[in-house]
Amino acid sequence: MKIVFDFDGVVCYSQVEMMRRLSKRLCRLITVDDWKIYNMNKNFDAETVEVLKPIFTEDIYNGAREDAFDENVGEVMNMLHSKGHDVSIETVCDSETTYMNKVRYLQNKGLGHIKMMPVYSYDKVIKADIVVEDCYENLEKADAKIKILITRPWNKQFKADMVVTNTFDVQHKSLCIGSDDTDTVISKALYIRVDDTKQLHNLLKELA
């Protein structure tokens, strides 16, 4: 089974560190909870975006505060890899430097054996049996049987076909999270929402 993970927001919750650096430079507190739309140009004002853009080119992965990152996903990836599944990461990189920063992060976390596939275009379509993402728009484009969305502030408004309600139980539901529009439910692929990587671990353990 081919299982593809996104990097930022899934393997590494790097947006937490981005907001820390942004807060320091603007001298006011900004957290990931203020990031409610994935497209930062639509979410933040022009001044904030201009300060935020250079942070994307920095090495925000290595040497940052450890609590900025959720390492539980590493256990998920290692578990799937040990079972013989084709596990990889596909991540948008604006440069070779950014790509190498992410590779070093994986190596430092003991995940150097996991394939890292750089993507240099937002138009790239991911093809896999299972895709794990924090960006709903990327899931929509993905060619996959099962699409897993890990809850982040910028995707709470999107619906799922199934929601993992706790770490051991999966309830089948058709619902719209944070919206009154329940008319359009995705049917071509199974969309599953998980709130954290502990739920992700238990879900993928069952699926794979």
Side-chain angles (χ1 to χ4, degrees):
M1 185 177 292
K2 184 176 182 180
I3 307 168
V4 175
F5 292 79
D6 183 31
F7 189 85
D8 295 288
V10 178
V11 175
C12 171
Y13 200 176
S14 57
Q15 291 88 347
V16 174
E17 181 63 21
M18 290 179 192
M19 295 301 97
R20 284 205 180 107
R21 298 188 185 196
L22 181 63
S23 297
K24 185 175 182 180
R25 293 173 196 185
L26 291 176
C27 298
R28 58 186 172 89
L29 180 62
I30 304 176
T31 71
V32 289
D33 290 327
D34 298 309
W35 199 334
K36 299 184 184 301
I37 303 174
Y38 186 78
N39 186 327
M40 68 176 184
N41 294 294
K42 295 181 179 180
N43 188 82
F44 299 105
D45 59 65
E47 177 188 0
T48 302
V49 170
E50 286 306 306
V51 178
L52 180 57
K53 280 181 178 178
I55 295 176
F56 277 83
T57 65
E58 299 172 6
D59 187 359
I60 56 176
Y61 310 103
N62 299 287
R65 287 171 53 179
E66 285 298 312
D67 65 347
F69 305 110
D70 189 340
E71 297 184 52
N72 291 325
V73 72
E75 295 182 14
V76 179
M77 300 175 78
N78 280 326
M79 179 267 292
L80 296 171
H81 185 267
S82 67
K83 287 186 173 183
H85 294 293
D86 180 3
V87 181
S88 64
I89 298 168
E90 291 198 17
T91 178
V92 172
C93 298
D94 59 0
S95 67
E96 185 68 21
T97 299
T98 300
Y99 170 69
M100 291 309 302
N101 289 339
K102 294 182 179 184
V103 169
R104 281 193 294 272
Y105 173 85
L106 285 183
Q107 293 172 339
N108 291 339
K109 300 303 180 184
L111 296 170
H113 56 286
I114 303 296
K115 294 181 294 184
M116 172 87 82
M117 310 296 291
V119 177
Y120 296 103
S121 170
Y122 284 97
D123 295 327
K124 170 72 181 298
V125 175
I126 300 173
K127 295 183 178 182
D129 295 297
I130 299 175
V131 173
V132 185
E133 263 280 1
D134 68 303
C135 176
Y136 185 83
E137 291 82 355
N138 289 343
L139 277 187
E140 281 191 306
K141 292 187 296 185
D143 181 3
K145 300 173 183 176
I146 297 175
K147 303 180 179 185
I148 301 174
L149 184 70
I150 186 166
T151 299
R152 300 303 186 202
W154 46 86
N155 66 37
K156 290 184 177 180
Q157 72 272 31
F158 296 110
K159 66 187 65 179
D161 301 313
M162 180 190 300
V163 172
V164 178
T165 55
N166 56 53
T167 55
F168 301 104
D169 180 43
V170 175
Q171 287 188 352
H172 293 255
K173 293 182 178 180
S174 178
L175 77 166
C176 188
I177 299 175
S179 171
D180 292 328
D181 178 15
T182 58
D183 293 332
T184 306
V185 177
I186 304 300
S187 60
K188 291 183 179 179
L190 179 63
Y191 281 63
I192 304 176
R193 178 183 288 279
V194 295
D195 286 334
D196 54 47
T197 52
K198 289 183 179 179
Q199 292 182 356
L200 180 65
H201 182 281
N202 284 279
L203 174 64
L204 285 174
K205 188 176 180 180
E206 294 297 322
L207 293 176

